[in-house]
Amino acid sequence: MGEIKLTDVKKSFGAVDVLKDIDLHIRDGEFVVFVGPSGCGKSTLLRTIAGLEKVTGGEIEIDGKRVNDVTAADRGLAMVFQSYALYPHMSVRQNLAFGLENSNMPKQEIAERITEAARMLEIEPYLERRPGQLSGGQRQRVAIGRAIVRRPTAFLLDEPLSNLDAELRVSTRAEIAALHARIGSTMIYVTHDQVEAMTLAHRIVVMRAGRIEQVGTPLDLYNTPANRFVAGFIGAPHMNFLKGEVVEAETGTVTLVIGGGHRLLVPISHHKLSVGDKLTVGIRPQHITLANDPGSLAVKVRLVEALGSETVIHADLNGEKLLAVVSGQKQIAPGDEAHFSIAGAPLHLFDDNGLRVKGA
Ligand SMILES: Nc1ncnc2c1ncn2[C@@H]1O[C@H](COP(=O)(O)OP(=O)(O)OP(=O)(O)O)[C@@H](O)[C@H]1O
Ligand SMILES: [Mg+2]
């Protein structure tokens, strides 16, 4: 079992409130990813769950039991850090065995667990080597192995792949997904990598400045971000935001003006918008195409990044920046006039508090 429940969790370092009123319910077997800007409290939240930091307020429960006063060693969780933290003078086998020997586990059982973990992670050939004789990816697998042999209730992983090069990250990411599928334990995973978050998570927790902004499946967050911050954080390159103003508001539709004169009719089921309201209109770069249809936006091209399979176009719409990612290769250059079509693009409307306008 590995159900983790946080209720109103707070953490302060001196006068600095680092975690504020965190409520989160992680189900047994769930893969939850924490994302958010640097310094927002992801590691602190993970360390609080692990028992490496004491909470200033609130409750932490694991499988229905309050663990606020239970030490890290007795919470039954295993943590994997970005820096592998392996003992350099011990072999891989000794590194894997170390924590178990300290708990007086019978030798036979330790040997079995090491064999099983080594097979799962394909590190059998390296068991007698020292960490210094391994590549970064192999070391990271040993660090994960050290967590696996403990058979923890849940795995807590803090940016476990960020020291690896791009190719190894992709393959190790796939290994972690396969590992989770095989052992089914709860995993909480911190990352800065959008692709890791989107591909690994059942649910993503987006944090900002010590608070949870939104919790949802990767596609929930992508398709219906609750606020402008989440909209800008999930998705790369990030969503475009244009200033808009309501010029007509009827039942079922509103008409906005964006880009200094461009009218946009938005179907919206139920709304409390009035003429004159200022909104932010969010459009993902991938939802813009190059077409000169009646509703398209006339832009000035500033920069073109040809990536082969797609072209990233940085443009200017009447003084506002607008980025488009279009598929394929385009004959387009800085200084050109172009037309960006947003026909069919999902539009995200945010009010002046940055909250999503529902129903659009
Ligand atoms: N022991 C500490 N004493 C005082 N402040 C701390 C301590 N540990 C963390 N902080 C502060 O708490 C805030 C959150 O830090 P934390 O390490 O949780 O951020 P993070 O989201 O993991 O960031 P990153 O993405 O850079 O790893 C930061 O402002 C940090 O400076
Ligand atoms: Mg961190």
Side-chain angles (χ1 to χ4, degrees):
M1 290 293 282
E3 183 194 15
I4 297 169
K5 196 170 168 194
L6 309 179
T7 312
D8 208 12
V9 165
K10 297 175 180 52
K11 174 69 189 171
S12 309
F13 291 111
V16 188
D17 299 332
V18 174
L19 298 177
K20 301 161 193 160
D21 313 322
I22 301 281
D23 285 308
L24 183 63
H25 188 169
I26 297 172
R27 295 184 277 268
D28 181 35
E30 202 175 9
F31 201 128
V32 170
V33 174
F34 293 171
V35 298
S38 187
C40 71
K42 304 177 295 294
S43 296
T44 305
L45 183 55
L46 206 63
R47 292 171 58 81
T48 306
I49 296 170
L52 300 171
E53 301 284 357
K54 238 176 143 37
V55 298
T56 314
E59 305 272 313
I60 303 180
E61 287 166 64
I62 300 177
D63 292 330
K65 280 203 291 284
R66 184 178 187 273
V67 295
N68 287 44
D69 303 314
V70 176
T71 62
D74 292 328
R75 289 195 189 185
L77 310 174
M79 188 136 171
V80 179
F81 300 93
Q82 172 182 355
S83 59
Y84 324 115
L86 301 175
Y87 298 107
H89 58 286
M90 292 184 190
S91 69
V92 168
R93 186 188 297 281
Q94 287 165 331
N95 265 283
L96 293 175
F98 188 70
L100 305 182
E101 281 166 353
N102 281 352
S103 71
N104 294 323
M105 186 180 287
K107 280 205 156 38
Q108 177 67 21
E109 163 108 36
I110 294 177
E112 281 168 17
R113 288 193 182 193
I114 290 176
T115 305
E116 188 198 1
R119 194 179 323 121
M120 222 185 268
L121 295 166
E122 296 175 20
I123 50 175
E124 292 150 301
Y126 323 121
L127 281 173
E128 308 316 325
R129 288 199 205 166
R130 291 189 179 182
Q133 299 165 308
L134 300 178
S135 74
Q138 290 160 347
R139 270 181 240 176
Q140 193 52 274
R141 275 184 274 162
V142 176
I144 294 170
R146 208 169 39 175
I148 290 177
V149 293
R150 294 181 46 201
R151 307 244 169 105
T153 315
F155 290 84
L156 311 179
L157 303 113
D158 195 353
E159 305 200 42
L161 307 186
S162 54
N163 281 344
L164 306 182
D165 67 36
E167 203 175 324
L168 254 179
R169 283 185 82 117
V170 174
S171 58
T172 316
R173 184 176 86 214
E175 284 167 18
I176 289 180
L179 179 71
H180 180 260
R182 195 167 330 139
I183 61 181
S185 307
T186 306
M187 291 195 178
I188 310 179
Y189 188 103
V190 174
T191 184
H192 274 110
D193 186 310
Q194 291 267 336
V195 182
E196 277 176 26
M198 294 299 281
T199 56
L200 289 172
H202 293 143
R203 287 191 301 160
I204 296 177
V205 176
V206 183
M207 295 179 65
R208 173 168 63 160
R211 289 185 200 282
I212 293 180
E213 291 282 321
Q214 191 174 2
V215 182
T217 66
L219 292 182
D220 277 348
L221 299 192
Y222 187 86
N223 294 330
T224 47
N227 56 47
R228 192 182 150 149
F229 175 79
V230 174
F233 197 80
I234 298 288
H238 71 69
M239 189 183 277
N240 292 294
F241 294 114
L242 297 173
K243 289 192 198 101
E245 182 174 340
V246 177
V247 292
E248 281 172 36
E250 288 166 12
T251 316
T253 57
V254 290
T255 305
L256 304 173
V257 166
I258 59 167
H262 179 84
R263 287 170 77 88
L264 207 59
L265 186 72
V266 187
I268 177 163
S269 52
H270 46 80
H271 64 79
K272 298 187 185 119
L273 297 172
S274 329
V275 171
D277 283 355
K278 303 265 195 280
L279 296 177
T280 298
V281 181
I283 308 167
R284 294 207 182 273
Q286 293 83 353
H287 292 146
I288 297 176
T289 54
L290 277 177
N292 191 357
D293 54 39
S296 62
L297 306 169
V299 298
K300 183 120 180 140
V301 176
R302 295 285 177 218
L303 175 70
V304 177
E305 297 168 305
L307 303 178
S309 64
E310 57 188 27
T311 305
V312 181
I313 305 164
H314 299 249
D316 179 295
L317 171 69
N318 197 34
E320 290 182 281
K321 283 186 189 153
L322 195 55
L323 187 77
V325 177
V326 297
S327 63
Q329 303 176 5
K330 305 291 174 194
Q331 291 302 321
I332 192 165
D336 286 356
E337 305 282 346
H339 282 89
F340 280 0
S341 169
I342 53 170
L347 299 176
H348 303 266
L349 304 185
F350 302 100
D351 66 17
D352 50 7
N353 294 317
L355 296 176
R356 181 179 195 84
V357 176
K358 299 209 172 70

